[in-house]
Amino acid sequence: MRAILLLLPLLLFAKVNNSFYNTPKTGWFFNENNETNETNQTKTLKINPYNEKEIMKLPDDVFMKTIPLNNLELYSAKTFNKVFKRAKGIAVMKPTRENVYVVKKMQKFMTDQATKFTQVWYVETLQNPNELGYPEIKASTYARDTKMIQEKEKEKTFFKKHLKDLGFVVFFNPKDKMTNTREKWIIDTFKKEFGEFDFVWIDITKRPDLVRKFNIKELPDIFFVYKNPKGEGIWARVKTGLTTLDELVKNTIFVYKNIIAPKDKEGKQ
């Protein structure tokens, strides 16, 4: 683990090029092309956005602009699914902000509808238990306790395996003493339960460069630093804001499994 801390000075002073995030995206991948003529030609057309045959024949750019994002409920379920499928395909191949916004808007609509369905389903079940209800079968206390024990064992196995290649960095504001005391208590509890992992505390008032580099907006902000088999330090954010022990444990495992590339891992998890 000490080897990780040796990487910190290099990593902390490393320059990060943020121009990718701060400049307009251009090029084929971000849909910079010459579709303006095609778009202008179709602007004069009167298009019924709810007519499946009409809208599905439109060019990609016109199709995306024609989708009635504020009145999606007027689509039939069949037409909505077809429109969403095509919109998603377009956004993947031409990931402009506008295209991705359309897909996200439609995705949110589906989620909202599913939530409403679940709520009404539950209300109707409560109001008509004899007709719509089912006997509730709860997991026994033994089953719940067994599952909890199994989860704890998996967590301990994970951290035991990574005791030497995983460390943490905590960005904090020295003026917020109450929050810092609470966070240190969580971290001390974590160490007692999972091992003496190193936690490096960085005062943001002394390192404004790192605040900009890691886009820190809420404190405390916790990252882990993973040393891959090549000895390279890989940073990943674990949690922003005051955390709980459970969040620190589960987020670390989740981020490691889903962000660290397979080639950088020491075996399968």
Side-chain angles (χ1 to χ4, degrees):
M1 184 60 239
R2 299 298 170 184
I4 294 179
L5 296 183
L6 293 177
L7 293 171
L8 290 178
L10 295 176
L11 293 168
L12 296 181
F13 288 98
K15 294 183 179 180
V16 175
N17 184 359
N18 290 319
S19 60
F20 176 84
Y21 302 99
N22 299 324
T23 56
K25 307 304 182 290
T26 58
W28 172 84
F29 191 75
F30 291 93
N31 198 28
E32 183 185 79
N33 51 36
N34 298 318
E35 293 182 335
T36 53
N37 291 335
E38 184 181 40
T39 302
N40 292 332
Q41 291 174 0
T42 54
K43 280 184 178 179
T44 57
L45 298 177
K46 293 184 179 180
I47 302 167
N48 178 2
Y50 303 103
N51 186 309
E52 181 180 325
K53 291 184 179 180
E54 285 186 22
I55 193 172
M56 295 302 284
K57 291 180 181 179
L58 296 173
D60 288 352
D61 62 325
V62 183
F63 171 82
M64 296 297 278
K65 294 176 182 178
T66 304
I67 298 173
L69 297 178
N70 295 323
N71 295 287
L72 294 171
E73 68 277 4
L74 298 181
Y75 275 133
S76 68
K78 180 180 178 182
T79 300
F80 179 89
N81 288 333
K82 287 187 176 180
V83 171
F84 178 73
K85 182 178 181 180
R86 183 183 175 189
K88 187 175 182 181
I90 293 172
V92 169
M93 297 306 296
K94 303 176 183 178
T96 63
R97 292 184 61 184
E98 293 78 9
N99 288 346
V100 173
Y101 174 82
V102 170
V103 175
K104 289 287 290 183
K105 188 80 172 179
M106 296 185 77
Q107 181 71 57
K108 185 177 185 303
F109 173 79
M110 288 194 295
T111 301
D112 291 343
Q113 291 300 105
T115 300
K116 292 176 184 178
F117 174 82
T118 301
Q119 291 172 341
V120 175
W121 176 287
Y122 184 66
V123 169
E124 286 301 310
T125 301
L126 288 177
Q127 297 302 310
N128 301 281
N130 294 329
E131 295 179 68
L132 306 176
Y134 296 94
E136 186 176 3
I137 303 176
K138 295 183 178 180
S140 66
T141 302
Y142 173 78
R144 292 197 300 271
D145 291 345
T146 300
K147 183 177 181 180
M148 186 178 298
I149 291 173
Q150 290 174 343
E151 287 296 321
K152 284 294 181 183
E153 287 302 317
K154 289 181 180 179
E155 292 170 355
K156 289 182 178 180
T157 299
F158 172 87
F159 286 108
K160 182 178 180 180
K161 179 177 180 179
H162 294 288
L163 185 58
K164 295 182 179 181
D165 59 34
L166 200 64
F168 296 85
V169 176
V170 183
F171 290 93
F172 73 101
N173 187 335
K175 295 182 180 180
D176 196 349
K177 296 181 179 180
M178 184 177 293
T179 297
N180 296 336
T181 299
R182 173 69 187 278
E183 195 75 351
K184 288 179 180 179
W185 180 81
I186 294 295
I187 290 172
D188 288 342
T189 305
F190 173 86
K191 288 182 177 181
K192 290 178 181 178
E193 187 167 346
F194 296 101
E196 283 295 323
F197 284 87
D198 287 309
F199 281 79
V200 177
W201 292 73
I202 297 180
D203 183 344
I204 62 164
T205 63
K206 296 180 180 179
R207 297 304 305 270
D209 56 320
L210 297 181
V211 172
R212 292 190 297 270
K213 174 181 176 180
F214 293 107
N215 193 29
I216 296 171
K217 296 181 179 179
E218 185 177 357
L219 297 171
D221 203 346
I222 302 178
F223 292 74
F224 72 56
V225 183
Y226 169 68
K227 186 181 73 171
N228 68 10
K230 296 180 180 179
E232 301 167 330
I234 302 174
W235 287 60
R237 177 176 271 112
V238 175
K239 179 70 168 60
T240 57
L242 189 61
T243 186
T244 64
L245 177 62
D246 192 55
E247 287 175 329
L248 179 57
V249 171
K250 287 182 168 49
N251 286 12
T252 298
I253 296 174
F254 179 84
V255 171
Y256 174 84
K257 289 184 176 181
N258 291 276
I259 292 182
I260 303 300
K263 65 179 181 180
D264 290 315
K265 295 179 181 177
E266 296 181 348
K268 299 180 180 179
Q269 294 296 308

